Amino acid sequence: MKSEEVRFVWMFVFFDLPVGTKSDRRNATRFRKFLKDDGFMMLQWSVYSRVCRGDDAVEKHGQRVTKNLPPRGSVRTLQVTDRQYARMKLLLGEATFNEKKAPQQLVLL
């Protein structure tokens, strides 16, 4: 497959998990740790993203997220193309180190 044919897709995971009990906190921590271990980077406290190479990779990581869902809370995913992701504007604050590094990772794939 030529590099021009490769389609990069960003997958976002948004979540709102309960942390009222010790068990809830443990489940939320496990879910966040899973996301980091699966290559997601934290954009904001409950917003994680990762770049995927094509729709097959998006499906694979979507299944992994589904398999590791905590028992309670709200979790959503969203897919956007690399071109759409590049149009995101940071309105306040500074980009994190991981965000600045992410475009360079695309070159390595």
Side-chain angles (χ1 to χ4, degrees), residues 1-107:
M1 180 181 276
K2 295 180 182 178
S3 62
E4 301 88 42
E5 298 172 7
V6 175
R7 181 171 172 245
F8 292 105
V9 180
W10 284 86
M11 181 177 186
F12 288 87
V13 176
F14 307 91
F15 57 91
D16 185 15
L17 303 177
V19 291
T21 66
K22 186 174 183 177
S23 176
D24 287 341
R25 286 189 297 276
R26 182 174 43 248
N27 289 329
T29 299
R30 285 181 181 163
F31 186 65
R32 284 192 304 273
K33 184 177 180 333
F34 155 74
L35 291 173
K36 285 183 177 181
D37 291 346
D38 199 40
F40 285 84
M41 65 179 178
M42 184 173 72
L43 292 179
Q44 293 180 317
W45 180 250
S46 296
V47 180
Y48 283 69
S49 69
R50 72 162 286 135
V51 66
C52 298
R53 187 175 181 165
D55 292 331
D56 291 341
V58 170
E59 181 66 28
K60 175 179 75 172
H61 290 287
Q63 289 175 358
R64 288 182 184 176
V65 169
T66 301
K67 184 179 176 184
N68 287 278
L69 288 174
R72 299 184 333 126
S74 173
V75 180
R76 292 173 171 81
T77 62
L78 174 69
Q79 303 166 34
V80 300
T81 65
D82 191 44
R83 190 176 204 177
Q84 291 168 325
Y85 182 84
R87 293 175 49 195
M88 181 173 21
K89 295 179 183 175
L90 180 62
L91 301 177
L92 180 64
E94 295 183 16
T96 65
F97 175 76
N98 287 335
E99 288 177 278
K100 292 175 186 174
K101 186 177 172 186
Q104 295 172 355
Q105 291 175 342
L106 291 177
V107 177

